Amino acid sequence: MLYKLRFNIYSFLFFVPNILVFNDAAKDWQLGFQDPATPIMEGIINLHHDLMYFICIIFIFVSWMLMRTLWHFENTQNIRPSSLTHGTLIEIIWTVTPACILLVIAIPSFSLLYAMDEIISPAITIKTLGHQWYWSYEYSDYLNEEGESIMYESYMIPEEDLNLGQLRLLEVDNRMVMPINTHIRVIVSASDVLHSWAIPSLGIKCDAIPGRLNQTSIFVKREGIFYGQCSEICGINHGFMPIVIEVVKLPSYISWISNKLNE
């Protein structure tokens, strides 16, 4: 009976591939990246994996050269040391080879940097303002009957107020909401000290500087709830400035905007 139960569970998981659990928040002892949700984050992960290939090859080669040198030129095996101080050929090789490797790495790296800095005609503009120690958001594209835009503040939920399943130090009372498959421009600034608006799953890390407007572009490819935190040491409560972005379908986003305008 137990065997049949296990077989049924495994069969269910195997034949239902739509059951996915995305890693959109930090996990205990996590070493790798969170699951990407934007083309930029996918590019960052792909570039990282490509660079790791070169790093592994270089590490193996240098380790082999070092061990070979220690073995063959040890005092007991090399009683008469060589008087050779340099060689033109080897110096050309170890200068030109790293330069060629850097050129190969630079091509995808510059392309990704350009894509991260490019702002494609945004359909929605959201202003993010960092405070000590919380975030506020403004949707200036929408106005109510009094001509006021949507503005609200986002505070971390205290640990004693968390519901079952909510994440400690990451949940907020008012999430930032945005639609899926939409080009969104986020304008980032601060009202007091330096902050940094960072969401790992979206590949976003933008400095919030008082008196300066920085901007970044977001295009989210899937629905979900994405968690981030302030990545600048901004003061005593630096670790208590979480960012929560809820990405929904366009009809749900329009409904949310309508409710906000009628509040």
Side-chain angles (χ1 to χ4, degrees), residues 44-58 101-102 104-106 108-109:
I44 292 174
I45 293 178
N46 290 334
L47 178 63
H48 170 268
H49 293 343
D50 293 340
L51 294 183
M52 285 300 297
Y53 170 79
F54 289 100
I55 291 174
C56 291
I57 296 298
I58 293 172
I101 294 175
L102 291 177
V104 172
I105 294 174
S109 177

Side-chain angles (χ1 to χ4, degrees), residues 139 142-145 148 150 177 250-263:
Y139 293 71
Y142 315 100
L143 301 176
N144 58 17
E145 295 179 354
E148 299 174 345
I150 299 174
V177 180
L250 187 57
S252 299
Y253 174 75
I254 294 174
S255 177
W256 179 83
I257 289 293
S258 178
N259 293 334
K260 281 290 185 180
L261 290 175
N262 294 329
E263 287 182 355

Side-chain angles (χ1 to χ4, degrees), residues 8 35 40 58 77 81 146 154 169 201 216 253-254:
N8 291 335
D35 293 324
I40 294 298
I58 293 172
Q77 299 192 41
E146 289 76 21
S154 179
L169 302 182
S201 292
T216 184
Y253 174 75
I254 294 174

Side-chain angles (χ1 to χ4, degrees), residues 131 134-137 151-155 173-175:
H131 307 267
Y134 63 95
W135 297 96
S136 64
Y137 302 105
M151 297 180 62
Y152 61 92
E153 296 170 341
S154 179
Y155 292 90
D173 53 358
N174 292 309
R175 295 171 176 172

Side-chain angles (χ1 to χ4, degrees), residues 148-165:
E148 299 174 345
S149 60
I150 299 174
M151 297 180 62
Y152 61 92
E153 296 170 341
S154 179
Y155 292 90
M156 185 189 74
I157 299 178
E159 186 174 356
E160 59 271 14
D161 296 333
L162 291 174
N163 296 323
L164 184 63

